[in-house]
Amino acid sequence: MPDYLDDLRFAHVLADAADAATMARFKALDLKVETKPDMTPVSEADKAAEELIRGQLGRARPRDAILGEEYGIQGTGPRRWVVDPIDGTKNYVRGVPVWATLISLMEAGDTGFEPVVGVVSAPALGRRWWAAKGHGAFTGRSLSSASRLHVSRVSKLTDASFAYSSLSGWEEQGRLDGFLDLTREVWRTRAYGDFWPYMLVAEGAVDICAEPELSLWDMAANAIVVTEAGGTFTGLDGRPGPHSGNAAASNGLLHDELLGYLNQRY
């Protein structure tokens, strides 16, 4: 099996470059923000970070395809880099430090493309998380200064911490009743949002999290960090990986119950 460590090291280089670009414009008074056709915001920093990553990939990995939130798909082949230049743009443009660049390498397999490398870099929080297939998940300031991640061993919902992003998406999908029932069952709920709940699941600080509507670039890097930390990452339909248009992540012990609540009246 390929070890993917060279790709992981390169993903860190890409994240370093993106961090420098995004932090340079974070809280800038003259930051330019536009509204995309789907009515979500995009800043000049989103575009600049993705252009930077695409440029470096084009030079160092010219045979690999690239899928990014801002500029779509480029290239074909069995290896595809998936990039969200700023996950949490609404936070970024308001000066909230909870945002990250998500970089994943996906490779074609028997069941389609699966993440084999993931880096989640949140420079305004001073945090970074990463994983490579078969090598575990880690957090730290660099590859040489890192701590291994492990999900929690909480096995009862009544002892579990549940993280989510917002209520509106659950209501729009007709899943709000099951969602609210779940919040009443667990020990604690917090709406951390975006990439952060998945990283907290990987760290063992949160036990379950879910979001009702997502794109592949929102999930690919998160998925491999969670699974390499020993957790489970699926769609709400139970399909493993980041392909369902939504996500449920857990320590594995609570996953069936998590899906049961979110699908109970759907």
Side-chain angles (χ1 to χ4, degrees):
M1 186 180 75
D3 68 16
Y4 302 110
L5 293 181
D6 283 343
D7 294 309
L8 177 61
R9 283 188 283 268
F10 183 55
H12 276 273
V13 172
L14 297 174
D16 289 342
D19 286 355
T22 53
M23 285 300 291
R25 299 298 291 154
F26 185 48
K27 296 187 179 181
L29 297 178
D30 60 344
L31 181 73
K32 296 178 182 177
V33 182
E34 303 169 3
T35 300
K36 293 192 285 189
D38 64 0
M39 302 308 292
T40 61
V42 57
S43 74
E44 62 180 85
D46 291 80
K47 294 180 177 180
E50 185 168 323
E51 288 169 354
L52 192 63
I53 292 169
R54 284 177 178 270
Q56 293 203 19
L57 282 169
R59 290 187 292 273
R61 299 287 195 276
R63 296 182 180 180
D64 294 352
I66 308 168
L67 172 65
E69 179 176 12
E70 307 307 335
Y71 296 106
I73 186 74
Q74 173 187 330
T76 59
R79 287 164 49 95
R80 177 182 300 168
W81 294 86
V82 179
V83 177
D84 188 344
I86 299 178
D87 182 51
T89 298
K90 291 177 182 177
N91 282 348
Y92 183 88
V93 302
R94 288 296 304 271
V96 178
V98 184
W99 50 271
T101 295
L102 312 183
I103 300 169
S104 178
L105 173 63
M106 302 186 74
E107 194 165 75
D110 294 338
T111 58
F113 281 90
E114 66 165 321
V116 294
V117 166
V119 172
V120 177
S121 190
L125 294 176
R127 299 294 310 277
R128 184 178 291 186
W129 303 260
W130 62 88
K133 185 178 179 180
H135 290 277
F138 296 84
T139 186
R141 295 195 173 273
S142 68
L143 282 166
S144 60
S145 177
S147 301
R148 187 153 189 168
L149 299 176
H150 298 280
V151 296
S152 76
R153 301 300 299 170
V154 173
S155 59
K156 296 180 180 179
L157 279 181
T158 51
D159 296 329
S161 180
F162 171 44
Y164 61 96
S165 286
S166 66
L167 294 178
S168 59
W170 300 105
E171 186 170 28
E172 290 164 6
Q173 288 195 6
R175 299 179 190 264
L176 184 59
D177 287 342
F179 173 89
L180 292 175
D181 285 347
L182 176 60
T183 66
R184 297 181 184 109
E185 181 69 16
V186 298
W187 168 65
R188 195 168 190 253
T189 62
R190 284 295 182 271
Y192 296 112
D194 300 305
F195 69 94
W196 208 6
Y198 304 98
M199 299 303 99
L200 293 173
V201 167
E203 291 181 351
V206 164
D207 310 299
I208 55 176
C209 71
E211 288 184 272
E213 187 174 1
L214 294 166
S215 298
L216 181 60
W217 47 76
D218 297 313
M219 297 183 281
N222 294 333
I224 189 167
V225 173
V226 169
T227 55
E228 285 292 321
T232 300
F233 189 105
T234 72
L236 297 177
D237 56 5
R239 179 185 177 189
H243 299 287
S244 300
N246 45 50
S250 76
N251 63 5
L253 301 174
L254 300 169
H255 208 79
D256 288 345
E257 289 180 276
L258 170 63
L259 294 180
Y261 272 93
L262 297 178
N263 289 308
Q264 68 178 6
R265 300 178 201 174
Y266 179 61

